Amino acid sequence: MTVANQKGGVGKTTTAVNLAAALSMHGQRVLVVDLDPQGNASTALATEHRSGMPSVYQVLVDDLALSSIVKPVPEMPNLYCAPATLDLAGAEIELVPMVGREARLKRALASFEAGTFDYILIDCPPSLGLLTVNAMAAAQEVLIPIQCEYYALEGLTQLLQNVELVRAHLNQQLSVSTILLTMYDGRTRLASQVAEEVRSHFGDTVLDAVIPRSVRVSEAPSYGQSVMTYDPGSSGAMAYMEAAREIAYRAAALAGA
Ligand code: ADP
Ligand code: MG
């Protein structure tokens, strides 16, 4: 599942990390692939990501085996992270002349024991460049976090067009399966208006669970933790747990169908 939105600061990384943590706490084997040079997901998952060390960059650019960079997340038995370093910033350009430049991650995942994971979540950078295209080409589903703020829907058309292009040319099975409303501030009318608009547009794709704006959610990464372990009883943790449950139920329903 690719977590994508070309806007920065909408909750992509927070969502990838906390959904992954929530799913793993329910016994699912989960891998987070950090595809953002900022390495925020790696930080939140307490996975080392100094510039120069083997990371997703070498996997994409030098054909390094994905298995050689995947690290277990400390104190999270079923959770693994493929870290990103700042080197990845160069990949966006270095990939351009390469053969199969859009399918480098797909290939890396195919020759990896991807089947041993129940979920692989890919955290995208805030752009629609080659890294995000690689993420979409490699995934079955796209999860779009939408921040409940003004301008939330701006750029969404372009994002959906990109998904369509990837589906048409690179990955027929790709679909936008999930939209998650994030940073919901129940005190503002604007938040509920945005939520309503998104639901009327996208219907069942939108999860019932809504992630509230919560200080605990934003504090957790500085402790190298997800909010799921940092403060399990907090509103943010409970909302991500609920979102994870919905995603798991949907997958089960699809498998049964
Ligand atoms: P993106 O990956 O899309 O750039 P992030 O997940 O990094 O977005 O979130 C942007 C900022 O907002 C971060 O500082 C993060 O801690 C904060 N944040 C994300 N979700 C919440 C939330 N539900 N409540 C409060 N702060 C949040
Ligand atoms: Mg991010």
Side-chain angles (χ1 to χ4, degrees), residues 3-18 36 38 40-41 123-126 145 147 181-184 210-221 236 239-240:
V3 183
N5 189 328
Q6 74 274 33
K7 282 185 176 219
V10 299
K12 287 183 291 298
T13 301
T14 306
T15 294
V17 164
N18 288 297
D36 185 345
Q38 306 273 344
N40 295 149
D123 185 31
C124 287
Q147 192 183 358
L181 296 163
T182 64
M183 292 186 238
Y184 186 88
V210 173
I211 311 303
R213 191 173 273 288
S214 141
V215 180
R216 308 304 267 170
V217 171
S218 57
E219 283 173 353
Y240 271 116

Side-chain angles (χ1 to χ4, degrees), residues 2 17 57 69 178 219 229 238:
T2 280
V17 164
Y57 170 77
I69 65 149
T178 313
E219 283 173 353
T229 51
M238 292 195 292

